[in-house]
Amino acid sequence: FLEGFNGTIFAYGQTGSGKTFTIEGGSKRFDDRGLLPRCLAYVFDALKDKPAAKASITVTYLEIYNNTAYDLLNAASGSSARLPKVSVQDRGTSCVVHGLSQHPAPSEEVAQQLAFLGKTNRTVASTTMNLTSSRSHSVFTLVLSYQRPGSDTIIKSKLNLVDLAGSERVSKSNASGQRLDEAKHINLSLHYLEGVIIALQKSSSKRHVPYRNSLLTKLLRDSLGGNCITAMIATISLKDSNKHESVSTCRFAQRVALVANDARRNEVLDDKTVIKRLRRRVAELQTELKVAQQVARDATTSDGAEGNKESALAQDGRSVDRPKCVKAMKAYVHGKLGDPLSAV
């Protein structure tokens, strides 16, 4: 992530197996911190030792509840206000998120506060299998952009920390009403996620990967078979009554391990640097054009004065073929000749 590669870490498992605790951690002890606060601390500590002239970090946090995305960090959100919806549009090989607020995080303290705010805005409910069951998928994204001193390139990367809602058997959770509707959407989205993983294992060039089946797979498109380094955390229950769910989680993890991503370093040229280079190149071409035009005018004048002679005696005594020089300079100006001197 710090070297320009996109990264994704997501936790998968049945409800109550410890996914949210793994990602977000507990609130009673400092040692119970999850991956999210630990990653924030590591990134900001690493940036202090990194000789970066310009570094910026932005944070986004959204949840997918009943296949609808909501912004967890919107300024209007709160206990008495409804979270604003976020629209996701498919753009061929990627997706565009509209309405998701981006918050700059100049320090670790600000980033930790944003993470805590998003955590408190998540949809949580009590079930027979989990007293604080997450009823939505959450995606916390950290976007890094920095430029090394003396370099013309800007390194951009993003890190996704995904807490998936746990699958649950209605026969065990005894869900009804709103909880039942939530369980249906959770199980269906996880089913579509598994369908994407299975499709990515096929080696055929004409394979179809159903990213568009659910909002979750749309958002994780780059993380699943795309430009990203992805890691999965499988959480299982030790209870004997949950052995079937534990085996299913392990099988899913085995399928994910077989998916090959195409991770690449994300580097782009600085816009200001590109403009300076283009202006410098334009000035060079204008100078070369003036020289070529002057040579052409001198050749025309000389040819008329000497009766269109094909050669003239140079000042140093060497014979110069002026028509050939003019032809070579015109070819050079039009980009057809690399070195005009080599053709004379």
Side-chain angles (χ1 to χ4, degrees), residues 10 18-19 22 83 92 118 128 133 151 159 172-173 182 187 202 229 269 286 308 322 329:
F10 70 94
K19 299 178 300 301
T22 301
L83 296 176
T128 57
S133 175
S151 175
L159 175 64
K172 290 185 178 181
S173 63
E182 293 168 350
N187 292 339
K202 299 179 181 179
I229 300 175
L269 285 175
Q286 288 176 345
N308 296 326
R322 291 187 180 277
M329 287 303 299

Side-chain angles (χ1 to χ4, degrees), residues 7-11 23 35 39 159-163 230-233:
T8 295
I9 302 175
F10 70 94
I23 299 296
L35 280 177
C39 285
L159 175 64
N160 300 314
L161 297 171
V162 184
D163 177 22
T230 304
M232 171 189 164
I233 300 175

Side-chain angles (χ1 to χ4, degrees), residues 10 12 190-191 193-202 224-225 232 234 247-261:
F10 70 94
Y12 178 93
L190 295 177
H191 168 73
L193 176 62
E194 185 174 10
V196 169
I197 297 299
I198 294 175
L200 287 172
Q201 296 179 16
K202 299 179 181 179
L224 304 173
M232 171 189 164
V247 172
S248 177
T249 300
C250 292
R251 288 176 177 171
F252 180 79
Q254 187 177 25
R255 294 191 183 103
V256 172
L258 298 176
V259 175
N261 285 9

